[in-house]
Amino acid sequence: MTALWTSAAIAEATSGTASADFSANGVAFDSREIGPGDLFIALKGEHSDGHLHVEQAFAAGAAGAIVSQPVAGPHILVSDTARALDALGKASRSRTDAKIIGVTGSVGKTGTKEALYAALDRCSFGKAHRSVKSYNNHVGVPLSLSRMPQDTQYGIFEMGMNHAHELSALTRLVRPDAAIITAIAPAHIGNFANGEIGIVDAKAEIFEGLTPGGTAIIPHDSPHFQRLRKKAERHAGEVISFGFDAGADVRAIDVVAAPRAGSLVTAKLGDRSLCFTIAEAGRHWVSNSLAILAAVRAVGGDLATAGLALAEMSGIDGRGRRHLITLKSGGKATVIDESYNANPASMKATLQHFAAEKIAGRKIVLLGAMGELGEQSAHYHSALAEDILQSGAEAIILVGEDMTHTAAKLEQGLDRGVKMSHASSASEALTEVAKLISDGDSLLVKGSNYLGLSSAVSALVSGEY
C-alpha cells in the first residue's frame, strides 16, 4: 500500500524540517481521532493547543506530527501549523489528476456531497474521496484535501460559510472542476447587512476557484437565479441550471411517490432523459438529485450508476435518517432525525414533506429554534407556525428562547385537541417526548445544532430516556 504522505513530501509541501523519516496513511488534528499510522497536526486554537496533546497522539499510534515547537517523536517543524495544514491541502490538490466537485448552499450540501460520493465511488470502483462529516470550514476543507489519496479519480468537497469572503478562500484551495450551489435560504442572515442578497453573493464566491473551463451548477428555481448566473459566468466555462422550471437545463419532468417515502423521477438532461428512484424523501431531494446528475455528467461520471446510487441512499444521521425505536411503554415508534441544523427553508421543506406523509399513528414534532437570523429572527420564527399547523402534528414540542414567537403565533390557530409545550433545553424536551410518544407514532426532530437535539435522538434510539 502506497503511503498517503512521506515525511519528505510533507516537509516539501509545508516548507518544514523533518526530524526523522516516516510515512503516514491518514491525517487528523484531533488527538482523539488519531489511529495507527496517522499524521497529527498540532493546531493552536482560541481555547486549545494541539501541542498539549502530541504525547496522546503518539500513544494512539501517530506516525508523526506537524508542530511549531520540537517534540519527542518524529515530526515536521514549521513556523505555523495552521498555514502548514493549508499548504498540505494545496499540495494534495496539486498532485492529483482527479476531477474535483465543490458543493455549497444554504440547505442540502452535505446530503448532495454524500450522494455524489456514492455515485462516483461506485463508477470509479472505490477511487472517489470526499470530506467527511461536515468538515466544510477553514480547517475542515484543507484537512479533507490533505486526506485525499494521489490516485483519486473523483473528489467531492463541501464548503460552508457564515460570513462574506470565507468561500472565496476555501474554493481557491479546492479548485473545483465543477461547483454546485444547492439552494439559497436565509441561513446566517444575521451576519449580512444586506440580507439575503449578501448570502447569494457569498455563496457565489465558490465559482471564483473554478479551474479554467470549469462548470457552475445553479438552482434555476431560485428567485436569485439571474444574479447567480451573472456571477457564475465571470468564472465558469459552462453554466448549468437545474430545477423544476421549464427553462432549467437539467429538470424534473415527472415526479411520483415511490415506496418507503422516496420518489420516482423522470429528468431531462439536455438531449437525454433518465428515469430513476430516490430513496430519500421530499421534493428538496428531487432538486438535489438534479444537481447531482448535472455534476456527474460535468465530470464524466456514469449517469446510470448515479441513478442506482440515489436509489440506494440511506438517511444521514441528523439529516433525515429514520429510526424504528422500541418504547419503554411497549410498541414501536418512528423517529425522523433532522437534528443537525435548521433554517427557514429547510424547516419549511421538512414540515411540508411530513404533512404529506400518511402514517397510521400520530404525528409529533420536536422543533428547535433557528440560529443566526439576527433582527429577522422573530419574523421567521412566527412564520414557522403556519407550516407546523399544516403538518398535521397532534403534539408540538418547541425548544429554545426564539420559539416564543412561534408559540405565540401557534396559540392563535391551534386546534383544541393539539398539545403544545415549550422547553428550554434538549433534556427538557426529551422528558416531554417520553410522556407523549406511544405505539405507532412518528416523531420529527429538527432544530439548529447549538441546541443539541441530537442528544434527544440518541437517547430515544438507545432507549436511555
Side-chain angles (χ1 to χ4, degrees):
M1 176 177 168
T2 304
L4 179 66
W5 290 103
T6 64
S7 53
I10 299 167
E12 182 179 358
T14 62
S15 299
T17 302
S19 70
D21 290 335
F22 65 87
S23 297
N25 295 314
V27 185
F29 58 74
D30 187 335
S31 59
R32 296 166 296 184
E33 295 183 359
I34 286 290
D38 283 351
L39 171 70
F40 175 62
I41 304 180
L43 295 178
K44 292 184 178 180
E46 291 182 14
H47 307 291
S48 63
D49 184 348
H51 292 83
L52 299 175
H53 305 284
V54 170
E55 186 176 340
Q56 180 183 342
F58 280 122
I66 295 180
V67 294
S68 58
Q69 58 197 51
V71 296
H75 62 269
I76 308 294
L77 187 64
V78 299
S79 58
D80 185 311
T81 53
R83 289 182 182 176
L85 175 57
D86 273 3
L88 198 64
K90 287 179 182 177
S92 181
R93 175 65 181 93
S94 295
R95 71 181 184 174
T96 183
D97 293 324
K99 290 293 184 180
I100 304 295
I101 302 172
V103 183
T104 194
S106 301
V107 291
K109 52 186 177 289
T110 300
T112 297
K113 176 256 298 181
E114 289 295 323
L116 276 167
Y117 171 75
L120 295 169
D121 197 56
R122 189 169 186 148
C123 73
S124 64
F125 302 99
K127 293 294 186 180
H129 173 81
R130 93 290 205 187
S131 46
V132 298
K133 301 180 183 178
S134 287
Y135 281 2
N136 61 19
N137 63 8
H138 66 287
V139 176
V141 169
L143 176 70
S144 298
L145 280 167
S146 71
R147 289 172 166 177
M148 180 168 59
Q150 187 170 352
D151 63 349
T152 296
Q153 292 183 18
Y154 299 102
I156 308 98
F157 297 92
E158 178 181 338
M159 289 175 266
M161 64 88 205
N162 294 331
H163 298 84
H165 311 306
E166 290 177 341
L167 268 177
S168 182
L170 296 179
T171 190
R172 284 179 166 85
L173 283 175
V174 174
R175 291 192 291 116
D177 298 294
I180 299 171
I181 295 179
T182 56
I184 302 291
H188 318 299
I189 197 167
N191 298 334
F192 294 87
N194 53 346
E196 198 160 328
I197 291 299
I199 297 173
V200 173
D201 291 345
K203 293 296 184 186
E205 290 172 12
I206 193 172
F207 304 130
E208 295 174 10
L210 278 169
T211 55
T215 303
I217 300 169
I218 58 176
H220 192 279
D221 303 341
S222 170
H224 307 290
F225 170 70
Q226 292 299 336
R227 189 177 186 91
L228 285 172
R229 186 176 186 87
K230 286 179 182 177
K231 290 188 172 292
E233 286 173 342
R234 297 176 190 172
H235 308 283
E238 181 181 22
V239 179
I240 298 175
S241 63
F242 67 92
F244 298 89
D245 290 350
D249 299 313
V250 179
R251 64 187 177 95
I253 57 177
D254 190 40
V255 181
V256 297
R260 293 183 293 278
S263 300
L264 179 64
V265 183
T266 302
K268 191 79 171 173
L269 295 84
D271 59 347
R272 296 187 61 182
S273 293
L274 182 68
C275 187
F276 59 96
T277 299
I278 307 171
E280 298 283 11
R283 183 179 172 88
H284 57 294
W285 256 105
V286 177
S287 180
N288 291 346
S289 74
L290 301 173
I292 290 160
L293 294 177
V296 168
R297 194 177 197 187
V299 298
D302 184 77
L303 289 174
T305 302
L308 292 173
L310 286 166
E312 295 177 1
M313 281 286 291
S314 59
I316 305 168
D317 285 340
R319 296 178 174 86
R321 188 179 294 278
R322 293 178 178 232
H323 303 274
L324 185 64
I325 65 169
T326 301
L327 302 173
K328 288 183 177 180
S329 57
K332 304 279 188 180
T334 299
V335 177
I336 304 169
D337 179 14
E338 291 275 3
S339 62
Y340 180 76
N341 222 334
N343 59 50
S346 66
M347 276 285 202
K348 177 179 278 293
T350 302
L351 286 166
Q352 286 180 344
H353 181 74
F354 196 48
E357 285 203 43
K358 293 177 173 60
I359 62 171
R362 297 179 305 164
K363 293 180 179 180
I364 303 172
V365 293
L366 167 53
L367 302 175
M370 302 175 287
E372 296 186 328
L373 295 177
E375 295 178 355
Q376 298 189 53
S377 181
H379 163 73
Y380 284 114
H381 282 91
S382 294
L384 186 60
E386 186 62 29
D387 290 310
I388 296 173
L389 289 171
Q390 293 180 7
S391 72
E394 295 181 48
I396 302 164
I397 304 164
L398 306 175
V399 189
E401 184 178 348
D402 283 331
M403 279 297 193
T404 302
H405 307 292
T406 311
K409 190 74 172 179
L410 280 170
E411 286 172 354
Q412 299 173 20
L414 210 59
D415 290 341
R416 192 171 294 176
V418 177
K419 299 177 181 178
M420 181 176 71
S421 59
H422 191 177
S424 62
S425 66
S427 59
E428 276 188 30
L430 180 61
T431 300
E432 291 298 314
V433 170
K435 293 177 186 175
L436 286 168
I437 198 164
S438 59
D439 186 37
D441 288 349
S442 287
L443 170 68
L444 170 65
V445 182
K446 188 168 181 64
S448 283
N449 197 33
Y450 76 90
L451 290 166
L453 296 186
S454 59
S455 63
V457 173
S458 297
L460 289 165
V461 172
S462 66
E464 298 176 358
Y465 63 94

